[in-house]
Amino acid sequence: LRLPRRTQAAAKASTKGKARTYKVKSGDTLSGIASRHGVSTAAIAKANKLSSKQVIKTGQTLVIPAK
């Protein structure tokens, strides 16, 4: 039995309305992560209880709130 691959649209549809997680990679910025996931920097900071002075670190897992 072969199942079709999930398309990017299907992947987005399955996570719509649900918070998800993201593992920080080297070179990532909070604004870049927010932009890629279509949410605001403030929303990610709030979901992860980050202050404006805190730095994200490689390997850190962030909660990405639902859109």
Side-chain angles (χ1 to χ4, degrees):
L1 175 66
R2 295 183 79 204
L3 298 174
R5 286 179 150 180
R6 285 177 48 150
T7 64
Q8 194 171 22
K12 282 184 182 183
S14 69
T15 59
K16 194 171 190 175
K18 296 180 185 177
R20 53 205 182 277
T21 59
Y22 176 80
K23 193 168 189 175
V24 177
K25 297 179 182 100
S26 179
D28 275 345
T29 62
L30 201 56
S31 61
I33 295 167
S35 176
R36 285 194 302 276
H37 291 277
V39 298
S40 70
T41 302
I44 293 177
K46 183 177 178 182
N48 292 280
K49 298 180 177 125
L50 299 173
S51 73
S52 60
K53 297 180 188 214
Q54 286 181 293
V55 177
I56 59 172
K57 297 181 179 167
T58 300
Q60 181 176 354
T61 300
L62 298 175
V63 172
I64 308 297
K67 293 180 187 178

